[in-house]
Each structure stands twice: as structure tokens, then as C-alpha cells.
Amino acid sequence: MAGSTLVPRGGVFNIMRFSTHDGPGIRTTVFFKGCPLSCWWCHNPESQGFQSDVLYFEERCRHCGDCLAACPEGVTDFGCRRCSVCAEACQADARQVAGKRMTVGEVVREVERDLIFFEESGGGVTLSGGEPVAQPRFAEALLRACRERGIHTVLETCGFAHPETFLRVALAADLVLFDLKLMDPVRHKRYTGVSNRGILRNLEQLVQRGRVVRVRIPVVPGINDSDEDAGQFAEYLRKLAIRDVELLPYHQIGTEKYRRLGLTCKLSETTQPAAAEMARMRAVVGGSR
């Protein structure tokens, strides 16, 4: 492979092995740093910003003052996340950094450690986030580098990007997991920070290109789980002839991360939808997952 393919660098905040929920088989999921959306139900709040974040695990803190002594600005609250000096100084791992710059080659080497699991399970690598398409050169180069090595590739995306940029990255993947959150543009902007008009346009173009797409809908009580919402999803998916649909129940797994980042989780009191509610949505929207 030409060396130029390994030039792009990007922000990554986690590489998770043995994932079974991000595409077929056993997968290694690369979580990209940064997202243009700010969904109320986001369970990876450390993924939203493009710069590194410092998470504070209060239960581990020994109150020794090493972080304060190391900080060039003398700050120990959440007012500054510009560097990782405090985390490096903390011997108790009470402060941990989310996010680092990596080259395509560095990520590929991490992924290749799991080749045997991909071969035995039909798995591969999944780019998730954050939003991979928000780092288009890095994402596209990584997808192509993996495919050149015979590794099955999946792109998980919110679909928010310039059409040409989106298609360039998405068409480099074997499978696209496309998150569909709300159909109403006004409510979509309220709960995610952006309109969904461009997102829907990108999904439609992807389908027109004949790309393999699985639509994933997060089911969030009180936000997109009404009968009206279900009907809107069903009508739109039927128009596009999309039958591969996965409904993902909201969960509170990520709520503790907000506190560790000094943020407020807007849905801290929202509970996971009951099995009966998920069945009701699935009966209207469709999908077998």
C-alpha cells in the first residue's frame, strides 16, 4: 500500500475490542472524537468535543493535591480541559483523558491484532463516535486501509455532513449503520442541535447508490416513541424500501460520564423503555432487531 495512505491523523477516544453490537461478527470499534450533534440521550458525552476531555472519578481521588500542583493554570475543577497534565500527575487514576491523536497506521496496527477473531466470526472493524464523517480524510483513509487488508468495514454515522463529503466516506465502507433519530425537523433540532434535512438527503442518496444500509433508531421515551413518531419512521423507511432496521432502547449507562465531565445529563430521570413498548414500536416501524 502506498505510504501516502497512512498520512492522515485523527482524534480517537477509545478502541473497543470484542464488540458484538456494531455490525456482523466480532468487531473492533474505533470511537472517533468529535460530533456535530449534541443529542440529549448521548451515552458518550466525552465524544462530542473535538479536543481531549478529562474525566474526574471522584471515588478514586485521594485529595493529595498532585493535580493542582501540576496544572499550569492552577485549576482542578472542570473549567479547563486544554491539556492532560493533571491526569498524568494523578497516581490514583482519578483523572483520565478521553481523546488522543493517532495516525491511520497506528489504528490499523491495533485493529490487526484481532484478525483471527474477524476471520472466525465474519467480523471486522467499525468506525463509530462521536461522528467519523466529521473527520473525513482520516475516516476514509482508515476504511480504505482496512479494506485493502481484507478487513470488513462498517461505518456508524449520524449522516450530518456535506453531501459530497458524506458519500465519499460512506461509499468506502462495506456496511453503513445510519442513525435515524427523529423525522420532524423542528423537534430534531431541539433534541440534537441540528436540522435533519441534510441528514435525510444523505440517507436517500446512499440508498440510491445501492449501498448496504442498516437504519438504527434510538428509542427514547418521551422524545421519539409516540405512535405518531413510529408512523413517521415507518412511512419514511417504506418510501426508501429499507427493511434492515434496528431499534435501540435508551439506557442510562452513560449518565455517570456527564458528572465526571462536569456536565448535566438532561435525561438523567428517563428510564429504559419496557419490552412491551419496544415491541409496539417494532410492530409499526418494522425490523427484526
Side-chain angles (χ1 to χ4, degrees):
M1 184 180 64
S4 59
T5 314
L6 300 179
V7 172
R9 295 169 62 90
V12 173
F13 74 92
N14 189 21
I15 297 180
M16 184 173 68
R17 293 185 157 80
F18 307 112
S19 172
T20 57
H21 301 288
D22 298 319
I26 296 174
R27 312 197 67 80
T28 298
T29 302
V30 181
F31 291 91
F32 280 49
K33 193 81 167 69
C35 182
L37 275 63
S38 53
C39 302
W40 285 24
W41 52 87
C42 180
H43 61 273
N44 285 325
E46 76 276 30
S47 74
Q48 294 183 7
F50 287 89
Q51 295 183 335
S52 297
D53 286 298
V54 177
L55 289 85
Y56 174 50
F57 294 76
E58 186 177 6
E59 66 278 9
R60 299 179 184 177
C61 184
R62 299 188 298 208
H63 305 284
C64 61
D66 287 350
C67 57
L68 179 60
C71 180
E73 298 185 16
V75 176
T76 58
D77 59 15
F78 297 100
C80 176
R81 303 183 194 133
R82 299 176 187 173
C83 69
S84 59
V85 173
C86 61
E88 293 169 359
C90 182
Q91 299 299 312
D93 285 332
R95 296 183 183 274
Q96 298 181 12
V97 178
K100 64 179 178 179
R101 302 290 292 177
M102 299 184 71
T103 66
V104 170
E106 288 171 337
V107 177
V108 168
R109 283 191 289 274
E110 287 292 318
V111 171
E112 286 183 315
R113 292 169 53 188
D114 301 325
L115 281 175
I116 186 172
F117 301 108
F118 303 158
E119 294 166 357
E120 293 181 354
S121 69
V125 64
T126 297
L127 308 193
S128 185
E131 172 52 54
V133 186
Q135 300 183 60
R137 289 185 66 247
F138 182 54
E140 182 186 6
L142 180 54
L143 288 169
R144 295 193 183 284
C146 288
R147 293 185 73 179
E148 287 176 9
R149 290 163 169 77
I151 300 172
H152 182 270
T153 57
V154 171
L155 171 70
E156 182 182 8
T157 178
C158 70
F160 186 85
H162 187 278
E164 292 182 5
T165 300
F166 176 77
L167 283 178
R168 188 174 72 248
V169 178
L171 294 177
D174 294 299
L175 168 66
V176 176
L177 304 180
F178 198 105
D179 295 339
L180 193 60
K181 306 174 190 298
L182 280 155
M183 295 307 304
D184 179 79
V186 176
R187 292 171 58 223
H188 192 283
K189 185 168 185 178
R190 176 188 178 190
Y191 291 115
T192 71
V194 303
S195 170
N196 65 351
R197 288 191 175 92
I199 292 172
L200 299 180
R201 176 194 58 210
N202 284 337
L203 176 57
E204 291 158 14
Q205 288 193 40
L206 199 59
V207 171
Q208 290 170 5
R209 294 294 187 98
R211 209 59 180 171
V212 181
V213 180
R214 176 182 302 164
V215 167
R216 307 216 295 184
I217 301 174
V219 180
V220 188
I223 292 182
N224 69 349
D225 65 335
S226 69
D227 290 340
E228 180 181 6
D229 288 312
Q232 290 175 346
F233 284 132
E235 180 181 0
Y236 182 72
L237 295 171
R238 188 162 45 247
K239 181 181 72 172
L240 297 183
I242 295 177
R243 295 181 176 82
D244 193 352
V245 182
E246 184 176 8
L247 301 183
L248 306 173
Y250 169 79
H251 57 72
Q252 290 191 322
I253 293 175
T255 54
E256 183 64 18
K257 295 181 182 180
Y258 285 86
R259 184 179 66 83
R260 291 170 179 164
L261 289 166
L263 303 175
T264 300
C265 178
K266 295 180 179 179
L267 299 183
S268 59
E269 302 300 320
T270 301
T271 58
Q272 182 170 324
E277 289 301 305
M278 294 299 297
R280 175 184 60 81
M281 286 285 290
R282 192 170 291 109
V284 178
V285 177
S288 59
R289 303 175 189 277

